[in-house]
Structures are given as C-alpha cells and as structure tokens.
Amino acid sequence: MFPHLQLLQLQENQFDGPLPLSISNCSQLVQLELDVNNFSGKVRNDFRSLQNLRVIALSSNNFQARGSDGLAFFSSLTNCSNLKLLGLEQNQFGDVLPNFVGNLSISICWLLLNGNQFYGSIPSTIGNLVNMELLLLNDNLFTGPIPDSFGYLHKLRWLAFSNNKFSGEIPKSIGNLSMMNKLYLEKNRLEGAIPSSLGDCQNLLEITLNENNLNGSIPRQLLIVSSLSIALDLSRNRLSGSLPPEVGYLKNLAKIDISENVMSGEIPGSLGSCNSLENLYLQQNSFQGSIPSSMESLRGTFSLKSLNLSFNNVEGELPMRGVFTNASAISVAGNYRLCGGISELRLPRCTTKKSRNRKFLSRTLGITVASILVGVAVVSSFIICLFKKKRKTKPTVSLLKDPFLKVSYGELLKATEGFSSTNLLGFGSFGRVYKGVIEQNGELVVAVKVLDLQTRGATKSFMAECEALRNIRHRNLVSIITSCSSMDFQGNEFKALVYEFMPNGSLDNWLHPIPEANNGEREFVGLDLLQRVDIAIDVACALDYLHHQCEMPIIHRDLKPSNILLDGDMVAHVGDFGLARFRAELTTPSTSSSSTIKGTIGYAAPEYGLGSEMSTSADVYSYGILLLEMITRKRPTDKLFGADLNLHNFASIALPQRVMEIVDPMLLTEDTDGSKIMENLISLFKIGLACSTESPKDRMDINTALHELHLVKNNILKVSS
C-alpha cells in the first residue's frame, strides 16, 4: 500500500507470524529493520525489485530455513546492488550457507550471521566481498577449514568465528587483514601453529584463540603488535616452548592469558614492562625458575587485578612488593618449591641465606627505627602547630575511580618542583601542563595538566576529560594515570590531570618549531614523509576507535596538532579530551545550540558555525584539515588565507598540476626528480580534501581514509626499497 516507503522500522516489538510478502512491493525501500520481534517461518520474500535497499535487519527473531529453498531469498538479495548491511543473527536458519553468498553486493560492509545453527563449510566465494568490515559467523556449527580467500577482505576490522567446529590450520593469508581490530577464533578445533603473519596486523586490539588444538611456539611477531590493548588469549591449547621476551612490547595490553598449555622455560623479566596489565594468567604450564623481580612493578596505569601462576614449577622466594602484597589478587598454588611471601599465602618460610640476613637486619635496625619514629613525631608536632591556623585542606578525590593511582596536591607540587617554569611543557585552553616525576613505587615521569579554574568552562572541561578517559584505552590515545581534585596549601580549589609523559612533544612543535627552542645550536630536523604518514595513520586509528570501537562512541571536538603527542618511538597519541562528548549526549537540546560551539578556529567543522549537532563527521573534517597541514606545513589560520581562500581551497586549486608548489619543501629533498614522491603526495592531498569537504554527507569516512593511508604507506615502502 506504500510504494514510496523508504524507511520501515518495527524493531523491538512483539510482531509474529511470517514476514509479509507485500514488503517486496515497496520498491523505494532503503532500510528494512524488523529485528527483535517474534517473526517466524521461512523468509520467502523476493528482494530483486528493491534496488535501493541498503539495510536489512532481521536479527533476534525465529526465522528458519530447513528444507528446500530455505535460503532462496539470499539469491534474490544478490540483485540489491546498494546493500551495505545484512543482519540475520540470532535466528534458527539451521542450513548450509549457499555459495552465492559471495554474489551479494560488493558494497556490503556488515554481514551478521552469528547464532543461527548454520552448518557445513564456509563458501570460499565470501572472499569476493572485498568491502567487508564486520563479519560475524560465531556461535554456529560450521566445520572444515577457514578459506584462504579471507585474505582478500583487506578492509575487515572485526572477524568473529568463535564457538564453531572449524578445523585445520589458521590460514597465513589472515596476515593480509592489516586493518583488523578484533579477531575471535576461540572454541573451535583449529590446529597447527599460530601463523607468524598475524604480526602484520598492526591495528589489532584483541585476539582470542583459546580452546583450540594449536601447537608449536608463540610467534615473536605476534608479540610486537603494539596496538594490542584489550586481550591476547591463547589459553587451553597445546602451545609449547618458552614465552618470548618480546612480550614486553605489549605495554598497552590489559589481559594476557596463556594458561593450560605446555609452555616451559623461565618467566621472562620483560613482563614487568607490560605496565597496563590488569589480568595475567600463566597457570597450568611448566614454567620454571624464580619469579622475576620486575613483576613487582606490574602496577602501571591500572592496578593488576589478577595474577595466576598456579601449578607450574617456579621456585625460590616469592616477592614481597607490588601485586604480591595482595593475597586476593594472586594465586601461586601448586608450586611446591616456592617460599616466603605474605602470611596470607601460607607458603613455607625461606631458609636461604638471604632470608636469615633479612631477619638479622630487622632486629639490629629495631632501635634505629624506633629513634627515627620519635624524631618524626617531634617534627610532625612542630608542623601541626605551624599550620594549625591555616584552613584545613580536603582529601584528594580521584574522579577516575579505582584502580587509578592516588596523588595529593603536595605530591604534584613536589613532582613538578613547585610547578616551576623550567618544567612547563605548554599551555592549553584551560590551564598549563608541567613535566613531573612522581615517586610512588619508583620514579614515574608524568605530564601534569593543572586547570586554571578562573577560566570559564575549566571545571566542566575537567569533568568531561575524566569521564572520557576512564572509559577508553588505545595505543594511540594519551594514557591518563590519575586525577587530583583537592585544595592547595592556601585553601584554594585545585584540580589536575596526570598523564603519561610524551618525550617527543606535540606534532605542532614538529610542524611549526619555535626557533628559540633550538637555542641556535643545530638546524631543526623535521619529519620525513613516512613519519608523517605513520602519524596520520595513528591519529586515524584513534578516531576509528573513538567513533566505532568504544561501547559508547566519543566525539573529540578539538583535533589539532597541539593535541597530538609523540612518544619516544614517535608513535602518535591523541590527547586533550576537555571538549569531548559521548554521542549519547547529543540528544539533549543544548548540544545543538550555537552558544555551545566548541573547538579551534580553522579546525572546527563549518556546520558548527550554523548551530548543527556535534557529530563524528565533524571530527573527520578536523582530521582532513590536520592532514593537509601536515603535508603543506601551513596552519589553517595562516595569513595567506582570507575570506575567499582557506587551506582546503588552497590545496584543491593546486591539485594535481601545482602540488609541488604548495607541499612542504622539506619533503621534496627526499626524491631528486620528484616523480615518485608526487604520486604519494597527490594521494595524501586527495584524502585530506575528501575528509574536509564542506558538506558532512560528502566527507570520506575515517575507515576509508585509514585504508587509503595504508595503501600510501605501502607504496612509499616499495619505492624506498
């Protein structure tokens, strides 16, 4: 009855019965969303006439496909050339996936078939869907090997095959999926070695290969994927050999589980470098030797919540510091040659010479300690009298919740040498940033952002940044260590954020160095083309994570070079979330008001000036301007630009014939004739221009930009080799 209908959304109701055949008459239909209902029976609709169809969501119903022609509708869907999402998860199709699944629209990005009792092997034709980003086949009954053709899905970001009956080896071609963020292959019957080609997937956040029949050693290449930040789960396999020392490269990883294998050798001391670990499971292996003292420092940004070393062959004295002081956080049962440790663990006492020396020293130092305590008491009384009339300060409050490190105003004052100008790193919109050294369980070099609470919006910025940063973790985001909300020694309100220190400063300092910063001692060394592309990829990965990987998407709203910081390895980290907002907040009326426009002139999307809602596409606009600035080394506020010319137009006019006239001259020294570098520069300009178009709907999405940047990087590497 509605031939012009474009959008039909009836999800989350209690509709039942078969899917009406008359839906096929809605020839203008773009989105069909009937998920989370009680529809049942076979899908007998013919979708061939729905040429505009982009989304079909039939998940969480009771559809079936048993018997002849149960999946015939799949064949008709191959005629829907604009289809981007097919969601059939959580039904009861219970059939073999037909070969013509590979004939679906090449534009399809999301294919969700999980939880459907599909069986048989996966058609190799699925490798034809080269624009696939999300493929969920988990919780089915699939058998046979994983086809090599999956290596053609270069844009794939999320691959879930868990809880099936796949057998054979993991194909080496999986290493071609360079953009993949999450790989779930657990609870299958996979065998053979873990392919070293997985080390080529440099954007992985999480890998789960547990509960298979994998054997051989853990490839070192896998352990240098520094993007891993959620989990590496290899438990319940038949992996052997030692744990490679490269595990120390996983500095951003929250969970490592290699339990219930046949690993041997000593526990590598490099594990102490994994300073973001929250869970470490090594139990039920054959590890031997002593527990490395470096593991005492497994505190990092987040406290280690669980350390399980049970049922191995480790021996010697259990450490007495760090995580080893918390009996509820560690398990060492079944290591019968361990001794010492805290009393709650009920291990036998150590009878080593070291233990006897400690006991002797504790006795001989008793009188000295007592004397010191008396002295401390006297000094403390004097200090209390001295400050008795001063206003009593409030205790430190960490707005980021446990397990973040807790610091007081006094500790931050000491760490920054009294917020000395010599430690000043820079200025922000709402305060100053200082370098500091916090002395808690060792020395921790940090950056301390002290809020200027007299500045309008500073308190709101502080709360926004706390809220955003406690919900996110990614290799390319600045790590928050803690917050401090207290009073200073004069009774004034004090708020500060403490971050991981970035020794190479901001991208802004590299693109636009201040002459005095070099003290005239040497010529400034800038970034080469490959470094700039790497930084652009890092920032794009951070945006992709914020927009698509977080449980609640986050809009940064102030992306610019000064908010991109570089660590010791020149890896870029996006920081300053003082203006960030969760996308769920955008439903409030105030967010679209022009009075709340935030951002930085030149980088803020033009629609913000018209009072439009905040959006992820506005972040993409800022990214496009940032990329153009990186290539030209011209700020969007350069005096060259005026009412009729901006950075976007400046680049657009020059493309492609006059590219060499506007590019940063420092890049031209890399190729004498300029012919090879020109192709890469034009590609970068096109990406920047596509991201910074005036109309939000015409902008390139961040996933596509990331894919294009990887192609540029590969081309640069080929040329250089």
Side-chain angles (χ1 to χ4, degrees):
M1 298 294 291
F2 302 101
H4 301 293
L5 189 67
Q6 295 185 18
L7 179 62
L8 179 59
Q9 292 179 314
L10 302 175
Q11 65 266 41
E12 298 187 41
N13 282 285
Q14 298 182 31
F15 292 113
D16 55 22
L19 190 64
L21 295 175
S22 58
I23 287 176
S24 300
N25 296 332
C26 302
S27 58
Q28 302 300 313
L29 201 61
V30 176
Q31 291 182 223
L32 174 62
E33 300 181 24
L34 307 178
D35 41 313
V36 195
N37 277 288
N38 296 316
F39 289 110
S40 59
K42 294 182 180 179
V43 180
R44 300 186 180 276
N45 300 64
D46 188 338
F47 294 100
R48 283 179 293 182
S49 61
L50 306 184
Q51 293 289 319
N52 298 321
L53 201 58
R54 298 182 65 187
V55 174
I56 299 180
L58 305 179
S59 62
S60 299
N61 281 284
N62 298 308
F63 291 116
Q64 298 181 359
R66 294 178 177 85
S68 61
D69 300 326
L71 292 177
F73 73 96
F74 254 97
S75 179
S76 69
L77 284 173
T78 61
N79 206 44
C80 301
S81 59
N82 292 306
L83 189 63
K84 289 187 176 295
L85 183 151
L86 177 58
L88 303 177
E89 71 270 32
Q90 305 302 329
N91 279 284
Q92 302 174 36
F93 284 105
D95 204 341
V96 176
L97 199 60
N99 278 325
F100 49 72
V101 68
N103 296 331
L104 291 172
S105 170
I106 198 171
S107 65
I108 194 166
C109 299
W110 288 30
L111 181 58
L112 316 178
L113 304 178
N114 48 301
N116 265 299
Q117 302 175 41
F118 281 116
Y119 59 89
S121 59
I122 297 179
S124 60
T125 56
I126 207 166
N128 298 337
L129 308 177
V130 294
N131 286 303
M132 187 72 66
E133 296 178 8
L134 183 66
L135 180 58
L136 306 185
L137 302 182
N138 50 295
D139 301 312
N140 282 292
L141 302 170
F142 286 114
T143 56
I146 298 174
D148 280 332
S149 58
F150 276 98
Y152 296 121
L153 306 181
H154 296 290
K155 293 185 179 181
L156 201 61
R157 295 189 296 114
W158 190 336
L159 179 62
F161 283 2
S162 55
N163 201 18
N164 279 282
K165 298 180 180 180
F166 289 113
S167 58
E169 296 186 353
I170 300 172
K172 295 179 182 178
S173 61
I174 206 164
N176 296 335
L177 309 181
S178 60
M179 296 183 66
M180 186 161 54
N181 299 136
K182 298 184 179 182
L183 175 63
Y184 302 122
L185 299 179
E186 74 271 20
K187 298 181 180 179
N188 281 286
R189 299 172 181 175
L190 298 170
E191 56 192 29
I194 299 173
S196 59
S197 60
L198 268 175
D200 296 328
C201 302
Q202 288 293 313
N203 289 296
L204 277 169
L205 301 174
E206 183 174 12
I207 304 176
T208 57
L209 305 179
N210 49 296
E211 297 186 52
N212 281 286
N213 296 314
L214 299 171
N215 55 38
S217 59
I218 299 175
R220 298 173 184 272
Q221 294 88 340
L222 178 60
L223 300 180
I224 60 175
V225 180
S226 56
S227 59
L228 281 170
S229 57
I230 299 176
L232 173 62
D233 193 342
L234 308 178
S235 62
R236 299 187 181 183
N237 280 285
R238 299 174 182 175
L239 299 173
S240 58
S242 61
L243 180 58
E246 284 82 358
V247 70
Y249 286 106
L250 302 176
K251 296 180 180 180
N252 302 298
L253 190 55
K255 174 184 174 182
I256 297 177
D257 191 348
I258 56 174
S259 61
E260 298 186 47
N261 282 284
V262 288
M263 305 284 292
S264 59
E266 295 189 354
I267 299 173
S270 57
L271 266 172
S273 300
C274 302
N275 51 22
S276 291
L277 271 180
E278 295 181 19
N279 300 282
L280 176 59
Y281 302 111
L282 305 179
Q283 70 269 23
Q284 296 188 46
N285 281 283
S286 297
F287 288 114
Q288 59 197 39
S290 59
I291 298 173
S293 59
S294 62
M295 292 183 68
E296 294 178 345
S297 64
L298 282 177
R299 168 184 58 80
T301 305
F302 303 88
S303 295
L304 190 65
K305 298 175 182 176
S306 181
L307 170 62
N308 197 329
L309 302 173
S310 298
F311 300 100
N312 281 282
N313 297 316
V314 292
E315 60 185 57
E317 186 173 4
L318 193 69
M320 292 280 288
R321 295 190 300 177
V323 66
F324 296 97
T325 63
N326 185 355
S328 63
I330 64 172
S331 177
V332 293
N335 293 283
Y336 300 110
R337 287 184 287 180
L338 270 181
C339 63
I342 58 176
S343 59
E344 290 92 330
L345 297 175
R346 298 181 179 178
L347 293 175
R349 290 184 178 183
C350 296
T351 57
T352 62
K353 181 178 180 180
K354 180 179 179 181
S355 177
R356 290 194 298 270
N357 287 343
R358 181 186 295 116
K359 190 173 182 180
F360 172 77
L361 286 173
S362 65
R363 290 176 177 174
T364 56
L365 290 175
I367 297 175
T368 304
V369 170
S371 301
I372 291 173
L373 289 176
V374 171
V376 168
V378 173
V379 174
S380 299
S381 299
F382 174 75
I383 293 174
I384 291 171
C385 291
L386 183 63
F387 290 100
K388 186 176 181 180
K389 295 183 179 181
K390 295 208 172 191
R391 182 174 176 178
K392 187 177 180 181
T393 61
K394 296 180 181 179
T396 297
V397 178
S398 176
L399 300 183
L400 296 171
K401 297 183 179 180
D402 289 337
F404 288 86
L405 183 72
K406 290 180 173 61
V407 294
S408 66
Y409 166 78
E411 287 175 297
L412 293 182
L413 185 70
K414 179 182 177 182
T416 59
E417 298 179 341
F419 304 112
S420 168
S421 59
T422 58
N423 286 351
L424 184 64
L425 296 175
F427 299 86
S429 301
F430 300 104
R432 301 186 177 197
V433 181
Y434 300 87
K435 180 180 178 180
V437 179
I438 294 178
E439 297 178 357
Q440 286 193 21
N441 297 326
E443 292 188 349
L444 181 64
V445 182
V446 297
V448 183
K449 180 179 179 180
V450 179
L451 279 294
D452 181 1
L453 300 180
Q454 303 302 314
T455 302
R456 183 179 180 183
T459 299
K460 185 177 181 180
S461 169
F462 175 76
M463 299 300 293
E465 196 150 8
C466 286
E467 185 64 25
L469 290 170
R470 71 178 177 183
N471 285 279
I472 58 179
R473 173 187 291 171
H474 190 272
R475 171 180 181 255
N476 299 121
L477 298 176
V478 173
S479 296
I480 183 77
I481 293 175
T482 191
S483 67
C484 178
S485 181
S486 184
M487 296 284 185
D488 64 19
F489 291 154
Q490 285 73 46
N492 301 311
E493 188 178 10
F494 175 83
K495 293 184 187 297
L497 292 161
V498 182
Y499 304 94
E500 178 186 1
F501 177 67
M502 295 287 150
N504 276 314
S506 73
L507 176 61
D508 189 79
N509 291 338
W510 283 86
L511 294 177
H512 312 288
I514 301 172
E516 304 86 68
N518 295 319
N519 296 322
E521 296 178 3
R522 61 178 177 84
E523 184 180 353
F524 178 76
V525 178
L527 301 167
D528 62 31
L529 182 58
L530 184 58
Q531 285 178 309
R532 297 188 202 201
V533 172
D534 278 336
I535 291 170
I537 289 174
D538 288 342
V539 178
C541 286
L543 281 186
D544 179 55
Y545 171 79
L546 293 173
H547 294 172
H548 303 297
Q549 302 296 323
C550 292
E551 183 176 347
M552 189 180 296
I554 295 174
I555 301 170
H556 187 275
R557 297 208 302 161
D558 199 18
L559 194 68
K560 57 185 178 181
S562 60
N563 287 340
I564 296 167
L565 305 176
L566 305 172
D567 66 17
D569 298 319
M570 295 299 287
V571 174
H573 302 252
V574 176
D576 198 340
F577 285 77
L579 300 180
R581 294 292 182 271
F582 291 97
R583 193 156 63 188
E585 298 177 27
L586 305 186
T587 57
T588 59
S590 62
T591 56
S592 60
S593 170
S594 61
S595 64
T596 61
I597 296 170
K598 299 291 184 182
T600 301
I601 295 174
Y603 302 95
E607 61 265 25
Y608 281 177
L610 301 175
S612 298
E613 273 191 354
M614 297 175 289
S615 66
T616 53
S617 66
D619 274 356
V620 174
Y621 176 88
S622 303
Y623 178 78
I625 296 297
L626 170 71
L627 186 54
L628 294 177
E629 182 177 356
M630 290 175 66
I631 311 167
T632 62
R633 271 185 70 200
K634 293 192 184 303
R635 299 183 190 272
T637 55
D638 192 285
K639 61 183 180 180
L640 176 67
F641 308 130
D644 299 323
L645 185 66
N646 56 35
L647 181 55
H648 177 94
N649 296 338
F650 176 71
S652 179
I653 294 170
L655 200 69
Q657 289 84 1
R658 295 175 45 234
V659 163
M660 293 304 189
E661 297 177 22
I662 67 170
V663 75
D664 178 8
M666 189 173 292
L667 297 178
L668 301 181
T669 60
E670 299 177 12
D671 192 290
T672 53
D673 60 15
S675 58
K676 296 178 181 178
I677 195 175
M678 186 171 180
E679 178 185 349
N680 294 319
L681 289 172
I682 290 175
S683 297
L684 291 173
F685 272 114
K686 286 182 176 179
I687 298 169
L689 290 171
C691 289
S692 59
T693 58
E694 185 170 350
S695 173
K697 65 182 179 63
D698 294 332
R699 288 173 197 151
M700 179 183 285
D701 63 83
I702 198 64
N703 296 326
T704 305
L706 187 55
H707 176 69
E708 295 296 323
L709 286 167
H710 277 293
L711 293 179
V712 174
K713 178 178 179 178
N714 291 338
N715 195 35
I716 294 173
L717 293 173
K718 288 178 183 178
V719 170
S720 61
S721 61

